[in-house]
Amino acid sequence: MSDNPAVALLFERHGPRYRWFATVTVMLGTLSVVLAATIINVAVPSIMAQYALAQDQVHWLATGFLAAMTVGMLLNAWAVARFGSRQAFLLAMGIFIVASLVGGFADSFTVLVLARVVQGVMAGMIQPLAMITIFQVFPLHKRGQAMGIYGMGVILGPAIAPALGGVLVDAWSWRATFFVVLPACALAMALGRAFLPNHREAQAPRLDWAGLALLSLGLTATLWAMASGLRRGWLEPWLLSALIGGPLLLIAFVAWQRRARHPLFDLRVFATPGFGGGFLLSMAIGAGVFASTYLFPLYFQQVSGFSASASGLMLMPAGLAMAFIFPFVGYLTDRMPLTGLVAAGLLFFIASMVLMRAADPTTAGVWLVTWAVLARLAMGLMMPPVTTGSLMMLPPALISQGSGIINFGRQIGGALGINLCAICVQFFSDRYWQAYPEAGHPRAFEVGFDDAYLMLFIVFVLGFLPLRALRRGERRMHAEKS
């Protein structure tokens, strides 16, 4: 039974099984938005063809979603306090459904990107609601079991998304990737109305609108300037303004957070030795998992010549491998040094990028699948220990803020990773095509992808530097406990 009156009333109505009804509800909602986040990747070549887009343009479908998710995550605590868990969930799911319909019927690429951005904001609001609900309905000694079941269900979403998306693209159209999540969204809303508590705070905390505006404008300007520089020219007035102004706005955001009465982030977490290393590693993980999820299906289609459905099926073993290694890594996290697992993950991902860069159009599909599995095993080895290790170093009062900042780092890393990889693919493909037009498009694309893999390789080699900081923090924590 819960101390929350709204939750206690639902336990009285539904009995002990209520906690599982609530868990299935938030799992279904999260699964829907996570599925939408990744299912579109296999449809990118079709969208490029329909709207005559280049890599440095079409990547906004993924980058815009991820960047918008960070804003949604920051809105979550305010929305729950202002509207209550149930109403916040229903509102976010309802807007997500509308955005999905707009995206599916979009008649221009601009409308398509705007729909993805709205989807991203709502997805960012929905995901933390699952954590809040599980903590409300499960006692302390059962939360680990609940989180494990919830996590397995959610991670399976990205595992099946590419295969499902590929089949839909080949059988119908890329537009189907927007519509396929709608039944699950509608069911989640119906369950949410029945099983989520309707509790709201008497006085909602003030939302740091100034900080939110600085962060949103700074991120948008920076990502847009990076992506548009090659096409518009780095000295074009608007672009140069965004290139300089975007980072300045982000610096202003950090300065504002240090003095704001109700900051979005409590930057005191970075005073804890080792946490900064965990944050940088979280950014690298985000870049690795989201950029590779974006690159792999494009490579399989544009270089290797596979269909969208075949490309999606080729990614399924990698997604399943990541899903099923999570519980094992969670078990190891409690029994061995965290930094050992992270180091193994860095090495696995580096090896995957080396092998993908060595591939060519004649490489057998089974090898491409194997190297994608290797990349996902790397992510599975890194994500739980980096998150757990970073939060274990913090004093209890800062754990909630630290969790939000670690998730923020992973999302920002993903947005930057996809942005830079798409630019890299387009720039080096174009340069090779202009120098050797007789080589053909697959060869030019291969050169661009190879350099994108090289960039991710460099990011993960550099990842050993923040790993040293994380290791020092881990040693200090153990020394204080002993």
Side-chain angles (χ1 to χ4, degrees):
M1 195 68 68
S2 172
D3 295 332
N4 186 318
V7 176
L9 182 63
L10 287 167
F11 269 108
E12 290 180 10
R13 183 180 305 166
H14 301 288
R17 294 179 300 173
Y18 164 68
R19 57 174 55 99
W20 295 111
F21 295 156
T23 301
V24 169
T25 300
V26 293
M27 180 191 296
L28 188 60
T30 308
L31 180 63
S32 302
V33 299
V34 170
L35 195 68
T38 54
I39 195 172
I40 201 171
N41 289 336
V42 293
V44 166
S46 297
I47 296 172
M48 290 175 68
Q50 176 161 343
Y51 292 110
L53 301 168
Q55 292 284 356
D56 58 348
Q57 296 170 300
V58 75
H59 76 86
W60 283 109
L61 294 174
T63 303
F65 189 100
L66 292 175
M69 274 189 71
T70 64
V71 176
M73 288 177 175
L74 299 179
L75 287 170
N76 171 264
W78 170 81
V80 170
R82 174 69 177 80
F83 302 108
S85 296
R86 181 194 299 172
Q87 292 303 321
F89 181 84
L90 294 177
L91 180 65
M93 289 300 305
I95 296 175
F96 186 89
I97 289 173
V98 172
S100 299
L101 290 169
V102 170
F105 289 112
D107 58 358
S108 72
F109 184 66
T110 300
V111 173
L112 196 58
V113 172
L114 288 175
R116 289 287 290 172
V117 167
V118 176
Q119 279 187 325
V121 174
M122 295 304 109
M125 288 182 61
I126 290 167
Q127 289 198 47
L129 278 168
M131 305 290 185
I132 294 170
T133 301
I134 288 173
F135 272 60
Q136 285 179 331
V137 303
F138 280 91
L140 181 64
H141 65 282
K142 289 187 176 181
R143 288 173 185 169
Q145 175 192 10
M147 287 301 298
I149 295 171
Y150 164 81
M152 279 288 290
V154 170
I155 292 170
L156 284 174
I160 65 172
L164 178 60
V167 170
L168 290 172
V169 170
D170 283 344
W172 185 16
S173 163
W174 59 264
R175 298 182 185 275
T177 61
F178 282 89
F179 299 140
V180 70
V181 299
L182 295 182
C185 291
L187 180 57
M189 287 189 71
L191 294 175
R193 190 176 298 277
F195 297 123
L196 292 186
N198 198 27
H199 173 77
R200 74 169 67 179
E201 300 293 335
Q203 185 174 2
R206 292 177 61 87
L207 182 63
D208 180 15
W209 289 105
L212 196 66
L214 287 171
L215 177 63
S216 301
L217 292 173
L219 273 178
T220 302
T222 302
L223 292 171
W224 177 78
M226 290 168 55
S228 305
L230 296 175
R231 185 172 300 276
R232 299 172 70 101
W234 295 105
L235 298 180
E236 195 265 342
W238 277 105
L239 186 133
L240 189 60
S241 298
L243 190 63
I244 297 172
L248 288 177
L249 286 171
L250 294 177
I251 293 171
F253 167 74
V254 174
W256 174 255
Q257 293 304 285
R258 294 176 64 88
R259 62 183 295 270
R261 293 183 61 186
H262 304 281
L264 296 170
F265 289 146
D266 191 335
L267 298 179
R268 290 179 298 167
V269 295
F270 289 101
T272 301
F275 185 86
F279 177 78
L280 292 175
L281 281 169
S282 186
M283 287 187 67
I285 289 170
V289 69
F290 288 113
S292 62
T293 300
Y294 179 81
L295 290 174
F296 286 166
L298 267 68
Y299 184 92
F300 297 161
Q301 292 177 70
Q302 294 180 328
V303 176
S304 300
F306 291 102
S307 66
S309 55
S311 299
L313 289 169
M314 288 169 68
L315 287 175
M316 184 178 285
L320 294 174
M322 183 174 172
F324 289 114
I325 197 177
F326 257 58
F328 178 65
V329 174
Y331 174 84
L332 292 179
T333 298
D334 295 329
R335 290 163 175 80
M336 64 179 293
L338 301 174
T339 48
L341 292 170
V342 178
L346 287 170
L347 291 173
F348 274 30
F349 195 84
I350 288 169
S352 174
M353 293 302 99
V354 169
L355 293 167
M356 287 299 298
R357 194 171 191 273
D360 58 41
T362 66
T363 301
V366 65
W367 292 116
L368 299 175
V369 170
T370 302
W371 299 333
V373 168
L374 186 62
R376 287 297 171 271
L377 290 176
M379 294 297 104
L381 284 169
M382 294 179 67
M383 289 176 69
V386 166
T387 303
T388 302
S390 300
L391 298 183
M392 284 172 58
M393 297 171 190
L394 296 175
L398 291 177
I399 288 178
S400 177
Q401 282 285 339
S403 176
I405 290 176
I406 287 293
N407 287 327
F408 173 84
R410 188 159 53 244
Q411 296 299 126
I412 292 300
L416 289 171
I418 292 175
N419 191 309
L420 291 172
C421 283
I423 295 168
C424 196
V425 171
Q426 190 64 46
F427 174 75
F428 288 107
S429 295
D430 286 349
R431 193 174 71 166
Y432 189 87
W433 176 255
Q434 292 167 7
Y436 306 101
E438 72 281 358
H441 284 294
R443 174 57 183 159
F445 278 132
E446 182 193 358
V447 170
F449 281 105
D450 284 350
D451 287 313
Y453 294 138
L454 177 61
M455 187 183 69
L456 289 176
F457 167 87
I458 293 171
V459 167
F460 276 76
V461 168
L462 293 175
F464 282 98
L465 296 177
L467 180 61
R468 293 179 61 188
L470 187 67
R471 185 179 183 184
R472 287 194 296 269
E474 184 183 18
R475 288 177 172 174
R476 173 181 170 276
M477 178 184 65
H478 290 313
E480 290 178 350
K481 289 182 178 180
S482 60

CSV table of all heavy atoms in Angstrom, one decimal, residues 69-70 73-74 128 264-266 269-270 275 279 282 387 391 394 398-412:
chain,number,residue,atom,x,y,z
A,69,MET,N,13.5,15.6,-27.1
A,69,MET,CA,13.2,14.8,-26.0
A,69,MET,C,13.9,15.4,-24.7
A,69,MET,O,13.3,15.3,-23.6
A,69,MET,CB,13.8,13.4,-26.2
A,69,MET,CG,12.9,12.4,-26.9
A,69,MET,SD,13.6,10.7,-26.9
A,69,MET,CE,13.4,10.3,-25.2
A,70,THR,N,15.0,16.0,-24.9
A,70,THR,CA,15.7,16.7,-23.7
A,70,THR,C,14.8,17.7,-23.1
A,70,THR,O,14.7,17.9,-21.9
A,70,THR,CB,17.0,17.3,-24.1
A,70,THR,OG1,16.8,18.3,-25.0
A,70,THR,CG2,17.9,16.2,-24.7
A,73,MET,N,11.9,16.0,-21.2
A,73,MET,CA,12.3,15.5,-19.9
A,73,MET,C,12.4,16.6,-18.9
A,73,MET,O,12.0,16.3,-17.7
A,73,MET,CB,13.7,14.8,-20.1
A,73,MET,CG,13.7,13.5,-20.8
A,73,MET,SD,15.3,12.8,-21.0
A,73,MET,CE,14.9,11.2,-21.8
A,74,LEU,N,12.8,17.8,-19.2
A,74,LEU,CA,12.9,18.9,-18.3
A,74,LEU,C,11.5,19.4,-17.9
A,74,LEU,O,11.3,20.0,-16.8
A,74,LEU,CB,13.7,20.0,-18.9
A,74,LEU,CG,15.2,19.6,-19.2
A,74,LEU,CD1,15.9,20.8,-19.8
A,74,LEU,CD2,15.9,19.1,-18.0
A,128,PRO,N,9.9,9.6,-18.2
A,128,PRO,CA,10.1,9.7,-16.8
A,128,PRO,C,8.9,9.4,-16.0
A,128,PRO,O,9.0,9.0,-14.8
A,128,PRO,CB,10.5,11.2,-16.6
A,128,PRO,CG,11.0,11.6,-17.9
A,128,PRO,CD,10.2,10.9,-18.9
A,264,LEU,N,16.7,24.1,-13.7
A,264,LEU,CA,16.3,22.8,-14.3
A,264,LEU,C,17.3,21.7,-13.9
A,264,LEU,O,17.0,20.6,-13.7
A,264,LEU,CB,16.4,23.0,-15.8
A,264,LEU,CG,15.3,23.9,-16.4
A,264,LEU,CD1,15.6,24.1,-17.9
A,264,LEU,CD2,13.9,23.4,-16.2
A,265,PHE,N,18.6,22.1,-13.7
A,265,PHE,CA,19.6,21.2,-13.3
A,265,PHE,C,20.3,21.7,-12.1
A,265,PHE,O,20.6,23.0,-12.0
A,265,PHE,CB,20.7,21.1,-14.4
A,265,PHE,CG,20.3,20.3,-15.6
A,265,PHE,CD1,20.8,20.7,-16.9
A,265,PHE,CD2,19.4,19.2,-15.5
A,265,PHE,CE1,20.4,20.0,-18.0
A,265,PHE,CE2,19.0,18.6,-16.6
A,265,PHE,CZ,19.5,18.9,-17.9
A,266,ASP,N,20.6,20.9,-11.1
A,266,ASP,CA,21.4,21.3,-10.0
A,266,ASP,C,22.9,20.9,-10.3
A,266,ASP,O,23.3,19.7,-10.3
A,266,ASP,CB,21.0,20.5,-8.7
A,266,ASP,CG,21.6,21.1,-7.5
A,266,ASP,OD1,22.7,21.6,-7.6
A,266,ASP,OD2,21.0,20.9,-6.4
A,269,VAL,N,26.1,18.6,-8.7
A,269,VAL,CA,26.5,17.2,-9.0
A,269,VAL,C,27.9,17.1,-9.5
A,269,VAL,O,28.6,16.1,-9.3
A,269,VAL,CB,25.5,16.4,-9.9
A,269,VAL,CG1,24.1,16.3,-9.2
A,269,VAL,CG2,25.4,17.1,-11.2
A,270,PHE,N,28.3,18.1,-10.3
A,270,PHE,CA,29.6,18.0,-10.9
A,270,PHE,C,30.8,18.3,-9.9
A,270,PHE,O,31.9,18.1,-10.3
A,270,PHE,CB,29.7,19.0,-12.1
A,270,PHE,CG,28.9,18.6,-13.3
A,270,PHE,CD1,27.6,19.2,-13.5
A,270,PHE,CD2,29.3,17.6,-14.1
A,270,PHE,CE1,26.9,18.8,-14.6
A,270,PHE,CE2,28.6,17.2,-15.2
A,270,PHE,CZ,27.3,17.8,-15.5
A,275,PHE,N,31.8,12.2,-11.2
A,275,PHE,CA,30.5,12.4,-11.9
A,275,PHE,C,30.7,13.0,-13.3
A,275,PHE,O,30.0,12.6,-14.2
A,275,PHE,CB,29.6,13.2,-11.1
A,275,PHE,CG,28.2,13.3,-11.7
A,275,PHE,CD1,27.3,12.3,-11.4
A,275,PHE,CD2,27.9,14.3,-12.5
A,275,PHE,CE1,26.0,12.4,-12.0
A,275,PHE,CE2,26.6,14.4,-13.1
A,275,PHE,CZ,25.7,13.4,-12.8
A,279,PHE,N,29.3,11.7,-16.9
A,279,PHE,CA,28.5,12.5,-17.8
A,279,PHE,C,29.1,12.4,-19.2
A,279,PHE,O,28.3,12.3,-20.2
A,279,PHE,CB,28.4,13.9,-17.3
A,279,PHE,CG,27.7,14.8,-18.2
A,279,PHE,CD1,26.3,14.9,-18.2
A,279,PHE,CD2,28.4,15.7,-19.0
A,279,PHE,CE1,25.6,15.7,-19.0
A,279,PHE,CE2,27.7,16.6,-19.8
A,279,PHE,CZ,26.3,16.6,-19.8
A,282,SER,N,28.4,9.2,-20.7
A,282,SER,CA,27.0,9.0,-21.1
A,282,SER,C,26.8,9.7,-22.5
A,282,SER,O,26.0,9.2,-23.3
A,282,SER,CB,26.1,9.7,-20.0
A,282,SER,OG,24.8,9.5,-20.3
A,387,THR,N,25.7,4.6,-15.7
A,387,THR,CA,24.6,5.2,-14.9
A,387,THR,C,24.6,4.9,-13.5
A,387,THR,O,24.6,5.8,-12.6
A,387,THR,CB,23.2,4.8,-15.5
A,387,THR,OG1,23.1,5.1,-16.9
A,387,THR,CG2,22.1,5.4,-14.8
A,391,LEU,N,25.7,7.6,-10.3
A,391,LEU,CA,24.7,8.0,-9.3
A,391,LEU,C,25.2,7.5,-7.9
A,391,LEU,O,24.9,8.2,-6.9
A,391,LEU,CB,23.4,7.4,-9.6
A,391,LEU,CG,22.7,7.9,-10.9
A,391,LEU,CD1,21.3,7.3,-11.1
A,391,LEU,CD2,22.6,9.4,-11.0
A,394,LEU,N,27.1,10.1,-5.8
A,394,LEU,CA,26.4,11.3,-5.3
A,394,LEU,C,25.8,11.1,-3.9
A,394,LEU,O,25.4,10.0,-3.6
A,394,LEU,CB,25.3,11.7,-6.3
A,394,LEU,CG,25.7,12.0,-7.7
A,394,LEU,CD1,24.5,12.2,-8.6
A,394,LEU,CD2,26.6,13.3,-7.8
A,398,LEU,N,21.1,14.4,-4.0
A,398,LEU,CA,21.4,14.8,-5.4
A,398,LEU,C,21.2,13.7,-6.5
A,398,LEU,O,21.4,13.9,-7.6
A,398,LEU,CB,22.8,15.4,-5.5
A,398,LEU,CG,23.1,16.7,-4.8
A,398,LEU,CD1,24.6,17.0,-5.0
A,398,LEU,CD2,22.3,17.8,-5.4
A,399,ILE,N,20.8,12.5,-6.0
A,399,ILE,CA,20.6,11.4,-6.9
A,399,ILE,C,19.6,11.7,-8.0
A,399,ILE,O,19.8,11.4,-9.2
A,399,ILE,CB,20.3,10.1,-6.2
A,399,ILE,CG1,21.6,9.7,-5.4
A,399,ILE,CG2,19.8,9.0,-7.1
A,399,ILE,CD1,21.3,8.4,-4.6
A,400,SER,N,18.4,12.3,-7.6
A,400,SER,CA,17.4,12.6,-8.6
A,400,SER,C,17.9,13.5,-9.7
A,400,SER,O,17.7,13.3,-10.9
A,400,SER,CB,16.2,13.1,-7.9
A,400,SER,OG,15.2,13.5,-8.8
A,401,GLN,N,18.6,14.6,-9.2
A,401,GLN,CA,19.1,15.6,-10.2
A,401,GLN,C,20.2,14.9,-11.1
A,401,GLN,O,20.3,15.1,-12.3
A,401,GLN,CB,19.7,16.8,-9.5
A,401,GLN,CG,18.7,17.8,-9.0
A,401,GLN,CD,18.1,18.6,-10.1
A,401,GLN,OE1,18.7,18.7,-11.2
A,401,GLN,NE2,16.9,19.2,-9.9
A,402,GLY,N,21.0,14.1,-10.4
A,402,GLY,CA,22.1,13.4,-11.2
A,402,GLY,C,21.5,12.5,-12.2
A,402,GLY,O,22.1,12.4,-13.4
A,403,SER,N,20.4,11.8,-11.9
A,403,SER,CA,19.8,10.9,-12.9
A,403,SER,C,19.3,11.7,-14.1
A,403,SER,O,19.5,11.2,-15.3
A,403,SER,CB,18.6,10.1,-12.3
A,403,SER,OG,18.0,9.3,-13.2
A,404,GLY,N,18.7,12.8,-13.9
A,404,GLY,CA,18.2,13.6,-15.0
A,404,GLY,C,19.4,14.1,-15.8
A,404,GLY,O,19.3,14.2,-17.1
A,405,ILE,N,20.5,14.5,-15.2
A,405,ILE,CA,21.6,15.0,-16.0
A,405,ILE,C,22.3,13.9,-16.8
A,405,ILE,O,22.7,14.2,-17.9
A,405,ILE,CB,22.6,15.7,-15.0
A,405,ILE,CG1,22.0,17.0,-14.5
A,405,ILE,CG2,24.0,16.0,-15.7
A,405,ILE,CD1,22.8,17.8,-13.5
A,406,ILE,N,22.4,12.7,-16.2
A,406,ILE,CA,23.0,11.6,-17.0
A,406,ILE,C,22.1,11.3,-18.2
A,406,ILE,O,22.6,11.1,-19.3
A,406,ILE,CB,23.1,10.4,-16.1
A,406,ILE,CG1,24.3,10.6,-15.1
A,406,ILE,CG2,23.4,9.1,-16.9
A,406,ILE,CD1,25.7,10.6,-15.7
A,407,ASN,N,20.8,11.2,-18.0
A,407,ASN,CA,19.9,11.0,-19.2
A,407,ASN,C,20.0,12.1,-20.2
A,407,ASN,O,20.0,11.9,-21.4
A,407,ASN,CB,18.5,10.9,-18.7
A,407,ASN,CG,18.2,9.6,-18.0
A,407,ASN,OD1,18.8,8.5,-18.3
A,407,ASN,ND2,17.4,9.6,-17.0
A,408,PHE,N,20.1,13.4,-19.7
A,408,PHE,CA,20.3,14.5,-20.6
A,408,PHE,C,21.5,14.4,-21.4
A,408,PHE,O,21.5,14.6,-22.6
A,408,PHE,CB,20.3,15.8,-19.7
A,408,PHE,CG,20.7,17.0,-20.5
A,408,PHE,CD1,19.7,17.7,-21.2
A,408,PHE,CD2,21.9,17.5,-20.6
A,408,PHE,CE1,19.9,18.9,-21.9
A,408,PHE,CE2,22.2,18.7,-21.3
A,408,PHE,CZ,21.2,19.4,-21.9
A,409,GLY,N,22.6,14.0,-20.8
A,409,GLY,CA,23.9,13.8,-21.5
A,409,GLY,C,23.8,12.8,-22.6
A,409,GLY,O,24.3,12.9,-23.7
A,410,ARG,N,23.1,11.7,-22.3
A,410,ARG,CA,22.9,10.6,-23.3
A,410,ARG,C,22.1,11.1,-24.5
A,410,ARG,O,22.5,10.8,-25.7
A,410,ARG,CB,22.3,9.4,-22.7
A,410,ARG,CG,22.2,8.2,-23.6
A,410,ARG,CD,22.0,6.9,-22.8
A,410,ARG,NE,20.9,6.9,-22.0
A,410,ARG,CZ,21.0,6.8,-20.6
A,410,ARG,NH1,22.1,6.7,-20.0
A,410,ARG,NH2,19.9,6.8,-19.9
A,411,GLN,N,21.1,11.9,-24.3
A,411,GLN,CA,20.2,12.4,-25.4
A,411,GLN,C,21.0,13.4,-26.2
A,411,GLN,O,21.0,13.4,-27.4
A,411,GLN,CB,19.0,13.0,-24.8
A,411,GLN,CG,18.0,12.1,-24.1
A,411,GLN,CD,17.5,11.0,-25.0
A,411,GLN,OE1,17.6,9.8,-24.7
A,411,GLN,NE2,16.9,11.4,-26.1
A,412,ILE,N,21.7,14.3,-25.5
A,412,ILE,CA,22.5,15.3,-26.3
A,412,ILE,C,23.6,14.7,-27.1
A,412,ILE,O,23.9,15.1,-28.2
A,412,ILE,CB,23.1,16.4,-25.3
A,412,ILE,CG1,21.9,17.2,-24.7
A,412,ILE,CG2,24.1,17.3,-26.0
A,412,ILE,CD1,21.1,18.0,-25.7
